[in-house]
Amino acid sequence: MIDQLRVGFVPLLDMAPLAVAREMGFAAEEGIALDLIRASSWSMLRDMLVFGQVEAAQMLAPVPIAMAMGLGGAATRLDILQVLSVNGDVIGLSQRLATRMRAAGYGFDFHDARAARTALVGAAEGPLRIGIPFPFSTHAELVSYWLTGAELEYELATIPPPQMVEALARGEIDAFCVGEPWGSVAVDAGVGTLVLPSRAIWAVAPEKVLAVRHDWSEANPALTGRLMRAVWRAARWLHQSGNRGVAADILARPDYVNAPVEVLERALSGNMVISPAGDLRRVPDMIRFFEGAASFPWRSQAAWFAAQMADRFNLDRAASIAAASSICRTDLYRRNLRSAGADLPGASEKLEGSLHHATAVASEQGQMILSPDAFFDSRVFDLLAPH
């Protein structure tokens, strides 16, 4: 029996596990016909999921967390089944800002977030308008965290990812934080220069998650598991470097991301072109889908987002962290992916920002190695510590 599942997405590189699950047969192996439905904005996709127009969705990691905290006006509980992608965002600047920074001696190393922040503050001639895809997003949290304490006035402006390049070209924004390939598209259009990858701010920032309505997953436990396994196997396939060219070909199609293959390959390979002049930067782990327990829905990562939003919106921190932790379905991840061969961590939370080198951790198969996860300012976030 084949079950049809409608899954929503926004055209970005990090929807790759969904496209691959469909195109490479992983969904079919689980008896699922994936109907991938494109949304033009994150608010549209959220509403499609909330009102049952899709059963699951690629979702900005902080969106279900914000909803659990009572932010955004939608009371429906969404559960995070697994992480779809880690990293994959870039911060880009207008050519005017980039030119001023170069004139002051900044070399655009595409690595040092402290130096980039100092250079940006020095180049700003007044308040900056920074484009982000959604108010509750990894982009918003990373930009806010990065600029905390900087002597810089700025406001965040919500712009759907496919429209970010045009907004920069028209001068509606001075800078942006957006998922690939739209930063690279701005470079190729000659209107922007990239200053940082998101991993320079937080080395393993969860970007997109696979989200479902809580009531749907409760009513469809077997189908939920089949969907999770199909997506997990697709992520494992994406991890194999020899498959990335095929992945770029798939994603370039008009019904998916609709961007040039070579642009998609940049982020998949970590070989980034950061300026219209063709400056190249090598970025290991520019985007990750699988290795280093990338797909595990760590409660501590959700708690970090919750703590950041609680501070910005003057909400109770402890209650916000508890709400965020409750929707990370580590129980379903363990139950449904053990049979697929997933190595499962011995804990569901960790000290975020504490790892500065690859580290082996306790797991069921004894083979789990976590990648460095440092924040640019070397802070460590402890979910269990009093706040």
Side-chain angles (χ1 to χ4, degrees), residues 39 55 82 88 92 98 131 151 165 173 188 192 207 270 288 327 350 374:
E55 284 74 49
Q82 62 207 85
E151 295 183 3
V165 178
I173 53 176
D188 284 4
E207 175 51 36
R288 286 199 285 127
I327 64 168
K350 54 190 175 72

Side-chain angles (χ1 to χ4, degrees), residues 94-110:
S94 68
Q95 291 300 85
R96 178 183 58 80
L97 269 177
T99 297
R100 287 177 58 85
M101 289 167 68
R102 287 190 189 279
Y106 180 63
F108 285 84
D109 63 13
F110 212 56

